[in-house]
Amino acid sequence: MSAPMVKAERVRKRFGRLEVLKGISLQVEDKQVYCLIGPSGSGKSTFLRCVNHLEKIDGGRLWVDGELVGYRQEHGRLYDLDGKDIARQRAQTGMVFQHFDLFPHMTALENVIEGPVHVKGVSKREAIAKGHELLHQVGIDDKASEYPARLSGGQQQRVAIARALAMEPKLMLFDEATSALDPERVHEVLDVMRELAHQGMTMIVVTHEMTFARDVGDRVAFMDGGVIVEEGPARQMIEDPTEERTKEFVGSVLAH
């Protein structure tokens, strides 16, 4: 058996007195789509940010592709990684945020090629060719020379996905990628995510889109109050959860 792509063991995170993650343990296998659902403030986004080491964990262990995130272990003790190693780890994980976070002064194509050229040292010519390919993959190659302000929310989010994919990540993290979009634009982004799943990209998806979680997810975890209340196969978790709190939450989201 190959190592899981993501393994969390009793991961804890606090901000001052507030403990946001209270011992999260989960496993995401290679090529799996793992959906995190739950109310706002339950710790889902914080957990994603820990996976990408945008937040440093305060307890437990977190591995991506068999490598400890943010630390190295020697003789049973943990030592912080230096900035260079953290940047190397982070470059292997693509992250798509709720608000697209594109550079406003750069075109769609320039946004996509920025990472490969300046972080990975890819030649500009090669990055441009790959950039067009990725924009085509997400359905907006005709917008390559447009600036973000000229794009709809759905188009901006698809540029953000292309930008993340340009780094050739092992793992994609989606943090409520559709929640800032007009309802008619949501499907544009979900279709791209669905296609990525079909191609075998390992994904952790924080989402309120229950139909997507059920149909595209392999496993779903329901988080509340910084803990995983329930976890299981996607279809069963959405259609027939065991815990009352999960039933309540899924029912209320599906009712809207």
Side-chain angles (χ1 to χ4, degrees), residues 90-138:
R90 199 175 285 151
Q92 297 173 5
T93 304
M95 187 145 179
V96 179
F97 299 89
Q98 183 174 350
H99 299 287
F100 329 117
D101 292 342
L102 299 176
F103 296 115
H105 61 290
M106 292 183 182
T107 64
L109 181 63
E110 286 167 346
N111 266 281
V112 172
I113 70 171
E114 175 75 4
V117 171
H118 294 288
V119 178
K120 293 186 88 174
V122 173
S123 76
K124 198 160 183 184
R125 187 176 168 185
E126 191 184 330
I128 286 171
K130 181 70 175 170
H132 278 295
E133 202 179 293
L134 287 168
L135 288 172
H136 177 73
Q137 184 181 330
V138 299

Short mmCIF file of all heavy atoms in Angstrom, two decimals, residues 90-138:
data_model
loop_
_atom_site.label_atom_id
_atom_site.label_comp_id
_atom_site.label_asym_id
_atom_site.label_seq_id
_atom_site.Cartn_x
_atom_site.Cartn_y
_atom_site.Cartn_z
N ARG A 90 5.30 23.88 0.12
CA ARG A 90 4.08 24.59 -0.26
C ARG A 90 3.87 24.58 -1.77
O ARG A 90 2.74 24.55 -2.24
CB ARG A 90 4.15 26.02 0.27
CG ARG A 90 2.80 26.71 0.35
CD ARG A 90 2.92 28.07 0.99
NE ARG A 90 3.09 27.99 2.42
CZ ARG A 90 3.76 28.89 3.14
NH1 ARG A 90 4.33 29.92 2.55
NH2 ARG A 90 3.85 28.76 4.45
N ALA A 91 4.96 24.58 -2.52
CA ALA A 91 4.87 24.57 -3.99
C ALA A 91 4.26 23.28 -4.52
O ALA A 91 3.79 23.22 -5.65
CB ALA A 91 6.25 24.81 -4.60
N GLN A 92 4.26 22.22 -3.69
CA GLN A 92 3.71 20.93 -4.13
C GLN A 92 2.20 20.83 -3.90
O GLN A 92 1.57 19.84 -4.26
CB GLN A 92 4.42 19.80 -3.38
CG GLN A 92 5.91 19.74 -3.69
CD GLN A 92 6.64 18.74 -2.82
OE1 GLN A 92 6.04 18.01 -2.03
NE2 GLN A 92 7.96 18.69 -2.96
N THR A 93 1.65 21.87 -3.27
CA THR A 93 0.23 21.87 -2.95
C THR A 93 -0.42 23.11 -3.56
O THR A 93 0.00 24.22 -3.27
CB THR A 93 0.03 21.90 -1.41
OG1 THR A 93 0.71 20.79 -0.85
CG2 THR A 93 -1.43 21.82 -1.04
N GLY A 94 -1.43 22.91 -4.40
CA GLY A 94 -2.14 24.04 -5.00
C GLY A 94 -3.31 24.44 -4.12
O GLY A 94 -4.00 23.58 -3.58
N MET A 95 -3.51 25.74 -3.94
CA MET A 95 -4.63 26.17 -3.10
C MET A 95 -5.48 27.19 -3.84
O MET A 95 -4.96 28.14 -4.43
CB MET A 95 -4.11 26.76 -1.79
CG MET A 95 -5.23 27.07 -0.82
SD MET A 95 -4.73 26.76 0.90
CE MET A 95 -6.21 27.22 1.78
N VAL A 96 -6.78 26.98 -3.80
CA VAL A 96 -7.74 27.90 -4.43
C VAL A 96 -8.63 28.45 -3.32
O VAL A 96 -9.28 27.69 -2.61
CB VAL A 96 -8.58 27.17 -5.51
CG1 VAL A 96 -9.59 28.13 -6.13
CG2 VAL A 96 -7.67 26.59 -6.59
N PHE A 97 -8.62 29.77 -3.20
CA PHE A 97 -9.31 30.43 -2.09
C PHE A 97 -10.72 30.87 -2.50
O PHE A 97 -11.06 30.92 -3.68
CB PHE A 97 -8.52 31.66 -1.64
CG PHE A 97 -7.13 31.34 -1.16
CD1 PHE A 97 -6.05 31.32 -2.04
CD2 PHE A 97 -6.88 31.07 0.19
CE1 PHE A 97 -4.77 31.03 -1.60
CE2 PHE A 97 -5.60 30.77 0.64
CZ PHE A 97 -4.55 30.75 -0.26
N GLN A 98 -11.49 31.25 -1.49
CA GLN A 98 -12.84 31.75 -1.72
C GLN A 98 -12.82 33.01 -2.58
O GLN A 98 -13.58 33.16 -3.53
CB GLN A 98 -13.45 32.07 -0.34
CG GLN A 98 -14.87 32.53 -0.36
CD GLN A 98 -15.42 32.68 1.05
OE1 GLN A 98 -14.80 32.25 2.02
NE2 GLN A 98 -16.57 33.27 1.17
N HIS A 99 -11.93 33.95 -2.23
CA HIS A 99 -11.77 35.18 -3.02
C HIS A 99 -10.50 35.00 -3.85
O HIS A 99 -9.46 34.70 -3.32
CB HIS A 99 -11.71 36.39 -2.10
CG HIS A 99 -12.97 36.54 -1.29
ND1 HIS A 99 -14.15 36.96 -1.83
CD2 HIS A 99 -13.22 36.23 0.01
CE1 HIS A 99 -15.09 36.95 -0.90
NE2 HIS A 99 -14.55 36.51 0.23
N PHE A 100 -10.62 35.22 -5.10
CA PHE A 100 -9.72 34.67 -6.12
C PHE A 100 -8.26 35.03 -5.94
O PHE A 100 -7.37 34.33 -6.37
CB PHE A 100 -10.25 35.07 -7.50
CG PHE A 100 -11.76 35.20 -7.50
CD1 PHE A 100 -12.39 36.41 -7.75
CD2 PHE A 100 -12.55 34.09 -7.21
CE1 PHE A 100 -13.78 36.52 -7.71
CE2 PHE A 100 -13.94 34.19 -7.16
CZ PHE A 100 -14.55 35.41 -7.41
N ASP A 101 -8.00 36.19 -5.28
CA ASP A 101 -6.62 36.59 -4.97
C ASP A 101 -5.72 36.65 -6.21
O ASP A 101 -4.55 36.28 -6.14
CB ASP A 101 -5.99 35.64 -3.92
CG ASP A 101 -6.64 35.78 -2.56
OD1 ASP A 101 -7.29 36.80 -2.33
OD2 ASP A 101 -6.50 34.87 -1.74
N LEU A 102 -6.28 37.09 -7.33
CA LEU A 102 -5.45 37.27 -8.53
C LEU A 102 -4.71 38.61 -8.42
O LEU A 102 -5.17 39.53 -7.75
CB LEU A 102 -6.32 37.27 -9.79
CG LEU A 102 -7.11 35.98 -10.07
CD1 LEU A 102 -8.00 36.15 -11.28
CD2 LEU A 102 -6.17 34.80 -10.27
N PHE A 103 -3.57 38.70 -9.10
CA PHE A 103 -2.87 39.99 -9.18
C PHE A 103 -3.63 40.89 -10.15
O PHE A 103 -3.73 40.58 -11.34
CB PHE A 103 -1.43 39.79 -9.66
CG PHE A 103 -0.57 38.99 -8.73
CD1 PHE A 103 -0.08 37.75 -9.09
CD2 PHE A 103 -0.26 39.49 -7.46
CE1 PHE A 103 0.71 37.00 -8.22
CE2 PHE A 103 0.53 38.74 -6.58
CZ PHE A 103 1.01 37.50 -6.96
N PRO A 104 -4.20 42.01 -9.67
CA PRO A 104 -5.06 42.83 -10.54
C PRO A 104 -4.33 43.49 -11.70
O PRO A 104 -4.93 43.79 -12.74
CB PRO A 104 -5.63 43.89 -9.58
CG PRO A 104 -4.69 43.92 -8.41
CD PRO A 104 -4.11 42.55 -8.31
N HIS A 105 -3.02 43.71 -11.54
CA HIS A 105 -2.25 44.41 -12.58
C HIS A 105 -1.69 43.43 -13.63
O HIS A 105 -0.95 43.83 -14.52
CB HIS A 105 -1.09 45.18 -11.94
CG HIS A 105 -0.13 44.29 -11.20
ND1 HIS A 105 -0.46 43.66 -10.02
CD2 HIS A 105 1.15 43.91 -11.48
CE1 HIS A 105 0.58 42.94 -9.60
NE2 HIS A 105 1.56 43.07 -10.47
N MET A 106 -2.05 42.16 -13.52
CA MET A 106 -1.56 41.15 -14.48
C MET A 106 -2.74 40.55 -15.23
O MET A 106 -3.81 40.36 -14.66
CB MET A 106 -0.84 40.00 -13.75
CG MET A 106 0.47 40.40 -13.11
SD MET A 106 1.22 38.91 -12.38
CE MET A 106 2.68 39.61 -11.65
N THR A 107 -2.51 40.20 -16.50
CA THR A 107 -3.55 39.52 -17.28
C THR A 107 -3.76 38.11 -16.72
O THR A 107 -2.98 37.62 -15.91
CB THR A 107 -3.13 39.40 -18.75
OG1 THR A 107 -1.96 38.56 -18.83
CG2 THR A 107 -2.84 40.76 -19.38
N ALA A 108 -4.80 37.46 -17.23
CA ALA A 108 -5.07 36.08 -16.82
C ALA A 108 -3.85 35.20 -17.05
O ALA A 108 -3.42 34.46 -16.16
CB ALA A 108 -6.28 35.53 -17.59
N LEU A 109 -3.26 35.31 -18.25
CA LEU A 109 -2.09 34.48 -18.58
C LEU A 109 -0.91 34.82 -17.67
O LEU A 109 -0.21 33.92 -17.17
CB LEU A 109 -1.71 34.66 -20.05
CG LEU A 109 -0.51 33.82 -20.52
CD1 LEU A 109 -0.82 32.33 -20.41
CD2 LEU A 109 -0.13 34.17 -21.96
N GLU A 110 -0.67 36.11 -17.44
CA GLU A 110 0.45 36.51 -16.58
C GLU A 110 0.27 35.97 -15.16
O GLU A 110 1.24 35.57 -14.51
CB GLU A 110 0.58 38.04 -16.57
CG GLU A 110 1.15 38.60 -17.87
CD GLU A 110 0.99 40.12 -18.00
OE1 GLU A 110 0.21 40.72 -17.23
OE2 GLU A 110 1.63 40.69 -18.90
N ASN A 111 -0.97 35.97 -14.66
CA ASN A 111 -1.24 35.39 -13.35
C ASN A 111 -0.86 33.91 -13.31
O ASN A 111 -0.28 33.44 -12.33
CB ASN A 111 -2.73 35.54 -13.00
CG ASN A 111 -3.02 36.79 -12.18
OD1 ASN A 111 -2.79 36.82 -10.97
ND2 ASN A 111 -3.51 37.82 -12.85
N VAL A 112 -1.18 33.20 -14.39
CA VAL A 112 -0.94 31.75 -14.43
C VAL A 112 0.55 31.41 -14.52
O VAL A 112 1.02 30.46 -13.90
CB VAL A 112 -1.72 31.11 -15.61
CG1 VAL A 112 -1.34 29.64 -15.79
CG2 VAL A 112 -3.23 31.23 -15.37
N ILE A 113 1.32 32.22 -15.25
CA ILE A 113 2.74 31.88 -15.46
C ILE A 113 3.66 32.42 -14.37
O ILE A 113 4.83 32.04 -14.29
CB ILE A 113 3.25 32.33 -16.85
CG1 ILE A 113 3.36 33.86 -16.94
CG2 ILE A 113 2.38 31.77 -17.96
CD1 ILE A 113 4.05 34.36 -18.19
N GLU A 114 3.15 33.30 -13.50
CA GLU A 114 3.98 33.94 -12.47
C GLU A 114 4.72 32.91 -11.61
O GLU A 114 5.93 33.00 -11.43
CB GLU A 114 3.07 34.83 -11.60
CG GLU A 114 3.75 35.48 -10.42
CD GLU A 114 4.65 36.65 -10.78
OE1 GLU A 114 4.71 37.04 -11.97
OE2 GLU A 114 5.31 37.16 -9.87
N GLY A 115 4.00 31.91 -11.07
CA GLY A 115 4.62 30.91 -10.19
C GLY A 115 5.67 30.06 -10.89
O GLY A 115 6.82 29.96 -10.42
N PRO A 116 5.31 29.42 -12.02
CA PRO A 116 6.29 28.59 -12.71
C PRO A 116 7.58 29.34 -13.07
O PRO A 116 8.68 28.81 -12.91
CB PRO A 116 5.55 28.14 -13.98
CG PRO A 116 4.11 28.17 -13.60
CD PRO A 116 3.97 29.31 -12.63
N VAL A 117 7.45 30.60 -13.53
CA VAL A 117 8.63 31.36 -13.95
C VAL A 117 9.47 31.78 -12.74
O VAL A 117 10.68 31.58 -12.71
CB VAL A 117 8.22 32.60 -14.80
CG1 VAL A 117 9.42 33.51 -15.05
CG2 VAL A 117 7.62 32.15 -16.13
N HIS A 118 8.81 32.36 -11.71
CA HIS A 118 9.57 32.98 -10.62
C HIS A 118 9.86 32.04 -9.46
O HIS A 118 10.80 32.26 -8.70
CB HIS A 118 8.85 34.24 -10.13
CG HIS A 118 8.82 35.32 -11.17
ND1 HIS A 118 9.93 36.04 -11.53
CD2 HIS A 118 7.81 35.76 -11.97
CE1 HIS A 118 9.62 36.90 -12.49
NE2 HIS A 118 8.34 36.74 -12.77
N VAL A 119 9.06 30.99 -9.30
CA VAL A 119 9.30 30.05 -8.19
C VAL A 119 10.02 28.80 -8.69
O VAL A 119 10.97 28.33 -8.07
CB VAL A 119 7.97 29.66 -7.49
CG1 VAL A 119 8.22 28.66 -6.37
CG2 VAL A 119 7.27 30.90 -6.94
N LYS A 120 9.58 28.27 -9.81
CA LYS A 120 10.16 27.01 -10.30
C LYS A 120 11.26 27.20 -11.34
O LYS A 120 11.93 26.25 -11.72
CB LYS A 120 9.05 26.12 -10.89
CG LYS A 120 8.06 25.63 -9.85
CD LYS A 120 7.06 24.65 -10.41
CE LYS A 120 7.57 23.23 -10.36
NZ LYS A 120 6.54 22.25 -10.78
N GLY A 121 11.42 28.44 -11.83
CA GLY A 121 12.48 28.71 -12.80
C GLY A 121 12.21 28.16 -14.20
O GLY A 121 13.14 27.91 -14.97
N VAL A 122 10.93 27.96 -14.53
CA VAL A 122 10.56 27.49 -15.88
C VAL A 122 10.79 28.64 -16.87
O VAL A 122 10.57 29.81 -16.52
CB VAL A 122 9.06 27.06 -15.89
CG1 VAL A 122 8.57 26.73 -17.28
CG2 VAL A 122 8.85 25.88 -14.95
N SER A 123 11.23 28.32 -18.09
CA SER A 123 11.45 29.39 -19.07
C SER A 123 10.11 30.03 -19.42
O SER A 123 9.06 29.37 -19.41
CB SER A 123 12.10 28.83 -20.34
OG SER A 123 11.13 28.14 -21.12
N LYS A 124 10.17 31.33 -19.75
CA LYS A 124 8.93 32.07 -20.02
C LYS A 124 8.18 31.46 -21.20
O LYS A 124 6.96 31.33 -21.18
CB LYS A 124 9.24 33.54 -20.27
CG LYS A 124 8.03 34.42 -20.13
CD LYS A 124 8.38 35.86 -19.89
CE LYS A 124 7.09 36.66 -19.69
NZ LYS A 124 7.32 38.09 -19.55
N ARG A 125 8.93 31.05 -22.19
CA ARG A 125 8.31 30.48 -23.40
C ARG A 125 7.53 29.20 -23.04
O ARG A 125 6.39 29.00 -23.47
CB ARG A 125 9.42 30.18 -24.41
CG ARG A 125 8.90 29.74 -25.76
CD ARG A 125 10.07 29.57 -26.71
NE ARG A 125 9.65 28.90 -27.92
CZ ARG A 125 10.47 28.54 -28.88
NH1 ARG A 125 11.75 28.80 -28.77
NH2 ARG A 125 10.03 27.93 -29.95
N GLU A 126 8.16 28.36 -22.26
CA GLU A 126 7.53 27.10 -21.85
C GLU A 126 6.30 27.37 -20.96
O GLU A 126 5.25 26.73 -21.10
CB GLU A 126 8.55 26.26 -21.06
CG GLU A 126 8.12 24.82 -20.80
CD GLU A 126 9.15 24.08 -19.94
OE1 GLU A 126 10.36 24.40 -20.02
OE2 GLU A 126 8.72 23.20 -19.17
N ALA A 127 6.46 28.35 -20.04
CA ALA A 127 5.36 28.69 -19.12
C ALA A 127 4.16 29.24 -19.88
O ALA A 127 3.01 28.94 -19.55
CB ALA A 127 5.85 29.70 -18.09
N ILE A 128 4.42 30.05 -20.92
CA ILE A 128 3.32 30.64 -21.71
C ILE A 128 2.56 29.54 -22.45
O ILE A 128 1.33 29.51 -22.46
CB ILE A 128 3.87 31.71 -22.69
CG1 ILE A 128 4.25 32.97 -21.90
CG2 ILE A 128 2.86 32.04 -23.78
CD1 ILE A 128 5.01 34.02 -22.70
N ALA A 129 3.31 28.60 -23.04
CA ALA A 129 2.66 27.49 -23.75
C ALA A 129 1.79 26.68 -22.79
O ALA A 129 0.63 26.36 -23.09
CB ALA A 129 3.71 26.60 -24.41
N LYS A 130 2.34 26.37 -21.61
CA LYS A 130 1.61 25.60 -20.61
C LYS A 130 0.42 26.42 -20.07
O LYS A 130 -0.66 25.88 -19.82
CB LYS A 130 2.57 25.23 -19.47
CG LYS A 130 1.94 24.41 -18.35
CD LYS A 130 1.61 23.00 -18.78
CE LYS A 130 1.11 22.16 -17.63
NZ LYS A 130 0.55 20.87 -18.04
N GLY A 131 0.63 27.73 -19.93
CA GLY A 131 -0.42 28.61 -19.42
C GLY A 131 -1.63 28.61 -20.34
O GLY A 131 -2.78 28.52 -19.88
N HIS A 132 -1.38 28.71 -21.65
CA HIS A 132 -2.49 28.66 -22.62
C HIS A 132 -3.22 27.31 -22.54
O HIS A 132 -4.45 27.25 -22.61
CB HIS A 132 -1.97 28.88 -24.05
CG HIS A 132 -1.77 30.34 -24.38
ND1 HIS A 132 -2.82 31.22 -24.46
CD2 HIS A 132 -0.65 31.05 -24.65
CE1 HIS A 132 -2.36 32.43 -24.76
NE2 HIS A 132 -1.04 32.35 -24.88
N GLU A 133 -2.44 26.27 -22.39
CA GLU A 133 -3.01 24.91 -22.28
C GLU A 133 -3.95 24.81 -21.06
O GLU A 133 -5.05 24.28 -21.14
CB GLU A 133 -1.84 23.94 -22.11
CG GLU A 133 -2.11 22.50 -22.48
CD GLU A 133 -0.83 21.68 -22.27
OE1 GLU A 133 0.16 21.88 -23.00
OE2 GLU A 133 -0.85 20.85 -21.35
N LEU A 134 -3.49 25.37 -19.93
CA LEU A 134 -4.30 25.31 -18.70
C LEU A 134 -5.54 26.20 -18.79
O LEU A 134 -6.62 25.82 -18.33
CB LEU A 134 -3.44 25.71 -17.49
CG LEU A 134 -2.40 24.67 -17.08
CD1 LEU A 134 -1.41 25.26 -16.09
CD2 LEU A 134 -3.08 23.43 -16.47
N LEU A 135 -5.39 27.37 -19.39
CA LEU A 135 -6.56 28.25 -19.57
C LEU A 135 -7.58 27.58 -20.49
O LEU A 135 -8.79 27.70 -20.29
CB LEU A 135 -6.14 29.62 -20.10
CG LEU A 135 -5.40 30.51 -19.09
CD1 LEU A 135 -4.86 31.77 -19.76
CD2 LEU A 135 -6.32 30.91 -17.93
N HIS A 136 -7.07 26.86 -21.48
CA HIS A 136 -7.97 26.09 -22.36
C HIS A 136 -8.66 24.99 -21.55
O HIS A 136 -9.87 24.76 -21.70
CB HIS A 136 -7.17 25.49 -23.52
CG HIS A 136 -8.00 24.62 -24.43
ND1 HIS A 136 -8.92 25.15 -25.30
CD2 HIS A 136 -8.06 23.27 -24.56
CE1 HIS A 136 -9.52 24.15 -25.95
NE2 HIS A 136 -9.01 23.00 -25.52
N GLN A 137 -7.91 24.33 -20.69
CA GLN A 137 -8.46 23.24 -19.86
C GLN A 137 -9.61 23.73 -18.98
O GLN A 137 -10.59 23.02 -18.77
CB GLN A 137 -7.34 22.66 -18.98
CG GLN A 137 -7.77 21.45 -18.16
CD GLN A 137 -6.64 20.91 -17.29
OE1 GLN A 137 -5.46 21.02 -17.63
NE2 GLN A 137 -6.97 20.35 -16.16
N VAL A 138 -9.49 24.97 -18.47
CA VAL A 138 -10.55 25.50 -17.61
C VAL A 138 -11.58 26.32 -18.41
O VAL A 138 -12.45 26.97 -17.84
CB VAL A 138 -9.99 26.33 -16.41
CG1 VAL A 138 -9.11 25.45 -15.53
CG2 VAL A 138 -9.24 27.56 -16.89
#
